[in-house]
Amino acid sequence: MTIKHDWTKEEILEIYNKPFMDLLYEAASIHRENHDPNVVQVSTLLSIKTGGCPEDCGYCPQAARYHTDIEGNDLMSVNQVKAQALRAKASGSSRVCMGAAWRNVKDGEEFDSVLEMVRTINKLDMEVCCTLGMITENQAQRLAEAGLYAYNHNLDSSEEYYKEVISTRGYQDRLDTIGNVRKTNVTVCSGGIIGMGESNDDRAGMLVALATLSPQPESVPINALVPVEGTPLEEQAPVSIWDMVRMVATTRIVMPETQVRLSAGRTEMSREGQAMCFFAGANSIFAGDKLLTTPNPDVGEDMEMFKALGLHPQKPFVKKSKPESVEATESKFLNLGEKPKWSRPSHKIERNLEAQKKSKTSL
């Protein structure tokens, strides 16, 4: 089918607000045209460096400025990551996504270690994804050379609402990073979070930003906010399952070939709710007891759900062939010691400042 790239917010809102049964039917029909409805990718998200992030993202317990119960840790070793990847593979995962609480990648020993982790996991015949913050074109090329399959960089929300959640980086930085990834053979994974207090207009705005990219992202995670005590969004009411299903269905309709990932917030969803999301077009989940730092259903529970629904885990490299890993000694792209000037917007977000103040008084 022809992929539409000129979506408007009005068109997407019209889809999002359709009668529920009509929306579900349309999304399920498009899903079946482009994907096997009984196959769902199982991915494992691994926090290779936790806590201490300098950003002020209102939803994130890893931000150093907020007082949460997250225990920080330094960058994991290559051997530790390999052991976790083998465990994930044994439990049915075909992809490992490594996340580091960094604002942006800095050339040096730590990034060199991450590149070695990518090579190691790729050699285990698993898809490798990284989410490391903003990256330059050269850093994206180095990751591609190491065998990276996907790079995750979420837009989080619409450009307008983004300013209500984050003040330490600009929306354009997100788009520029995706643009740098697109100059390589690495696939793009980019989505967002619902339930942060945004309007339906903002949800549609985020989908406009993603669906008008050409090509569209190969992978779009839809996260439900998991409010964490100590963060500015700690008192947000949980998003309803109806909103989650609507968001998944709308994403499927406007991005028919994309892998739609049912991500954070699954612990609050019943099996029936998740089944509706799969029917509406979600065809990927994250397995394991944690998503970076927030709770996630147990792998065994997920496999029981798969059995009840007749679902099968997706094999690796179905959507795109396995990349070759170039050894560090043969790399064409070298450490340039880059110090890019990523933006730092000057606006203030009151609830973020309040959470920061509260954090200082609780220490």
Side-chain angles (χ1 to χ4, degrees):
M1 68 185 294
T2 306
I3 302 293
K4 176 177 163 69
H5 290 283
D6 58 350
W7 289 99
T8 65
K9 191 190 288 187
E10 292 68 32
E11 287 173 324
I12 291 179
L13 274 172
E14 192 178 333
I15 294 168
Y16 184 90
N17 290 318
K18 277 188 175 192
F20 191 77
M21 296 305 175
D22 292 345
L23 175 64
L24 218 56
Y25 180 78
E26 184 179 350
S29 302
I30 288 172
H31 185 52
R32 285 169 177 271
E33 283 172 27
N34 294 278
H35 308 269
D36 184 334
N38 297 314
V39 172
V40 172
Q41 184 176 45
V42 181
S43 305
T44 293
L45 188 52
L46 180 60
S47 183
I48 58 172
K49 190 272 173 188
T50 306
C53 183
E55 304 278 53
D56 77 335
C57 307
Y59 52 79
C60 187
Q62 299 202 64
R65 65 189 70 205
Y66 308 134
H67 183 56
T68 63
D69 290 332
I70 298 306
E71 287 185 26
N73 67 268
D74 294 332
L75 189 69
M76 291 171 70
S77 71
V78 175
N79 283 339
Q80 285 174 315
V81 167
K82 183 178 181 179
Q84 295 272 25
L86 285 168
R87 196 171 299 131
K89 186 176 183 179
S91 68
S93 285
S94 61
R95 177 184 288 202
V96 172
C97 184
M98 297 186 286
W102 293 335
R103 169 179 163 80
N104 59 277
V105 168
K106 293 176 182 171
D107 290 337
E109 284 183 19
E110 288 198 325
F111 186 42
D112 291 344
S113 286
V114 172
L115 294 172
E116 201 50 47
M117 293 172 194
V118 171
R119 291 185 188 96
T120 300
I121 297 173
N122 190 44
K123 288 170 189 171
L124 297 177
D125 292 327
M126 298 184 79
E127 295 174 13
V128 195
C129 176
C130 280
T131 180
L132 311 169
M134 278 90 76
I135 56 171
T136 66
E137 183 183 344
N138 185 67
Q139 289 164 344
Q141 293 287 7
R142 294 179 74 197
L143 284 162
E145 247 192 354
L148 191 70
Y149 188 89
Y151 194 83
N152 167 261
H153 203 59
N154 289 337
L155 295 184
D156 291 335
S157 190
S158 68
E159 185 166 6
E160 293 74 23
Y161 198 70
Y162 188 87
K163 295 167 188 165
E164 303 295 318
V165 179
I166 301 159
S167 75
T168 52
R169 61 175 185 235
Y171 204 72
Q172 189 59 45
D173 291 340
R174 317 300 283 169
L175 295 168
D176 289 346
T177 289
I178 290 170
N180 288 335
V181 173
R182 276 289 177 227
K183 292 168 186 170
T184 73
N185 64 351
V186 174
T187 62
V188 167
C189 176
S190 185
I193 306 168
I194 67 170
M196 298 190 292
E198 76 289 340
S199 65
N200 289 346
D201 268 35
D202 291 312
R203 292 174 187 177
M206 181 186 80
L207 291 181
V208 168
L210 293 167
T212 53
L213 292 172
S214 187
Q216 292 177 339
E218 285 81 358
S219 176
V220 173
I222 302 297
N223 297 275
L225 176 73
V226 178
V228 177
E229 190 177 348
T231 63
L233 296 176
E234 65 181 357
E235 292 180 8
Q236 281 295 132
V239 69
S240 79
I241 187 61
W242 309 113
D243 284 0
M244 276 300 288
V245 177
R246 281 190 179 278
M247 195 65 182
V248 166
T250 307
T251 304
R252 170 52 66 228
I253 292 166
V254 302
M255 290 180 270
E257 293 181 359
T258 291
Q259 198 118 15
V260 180
R261 300 184 180 277
L262 190 58
S263 300
R266 283 200 304 121
T267 48
E268 302 302 314
M269 296 179 206
S270 67
R271 284 189 181 180
E272 294 85 353
Q274 292 179 70
M276 274 199 296
C277 288
F278 295 135
F279 185 72
N283 56 347
S284 175
I285 60 167
F286 284 105
D289 59 351
K290 275 192 178 177
L291 283 190
L292 295 182
T293 58
T294 53
N296 198 50
D298 175 77
V299 179
E301 288 177 31
D302 284 334
M303 290 306 105
E304 279 179 24
M305 176 176 67
F306 273 36
K307 189 176 178 184
L309 298 175
L311 298 175
H312 307 285
Q314 180 180 300
K315 289 182 166 55
F317 313 116
V318 169
K319 305 287 184 182
K320 178 177 169 284
S321 58
K322 179 183 172 181
E324 292 298 317
S325 287
V326 174
E327 296 303 326
T329 51
E330 296 167 19
S331 174
K332 291 178 187 172
F333 296 93
L334 305 175
N335 173 350
L336 299 179
E338 293 178 280
K339 293 183 180 174
K341 296 285 184 191
W342 297 104
S343 69
R344 288 186 183 275
S346 56
H347 71 285
K348 305 290 182 195
I349 302 172
E350 279 307 315
R351 64 184 172 190
N352 290 15
L353 294 172
E354 284 300 314
Q356 194 173 347
K357 265 190 230 163
K358 211 187 288 182
S359 166
K360 283 177 182 168
T361 57
S362 66
L363 291 176

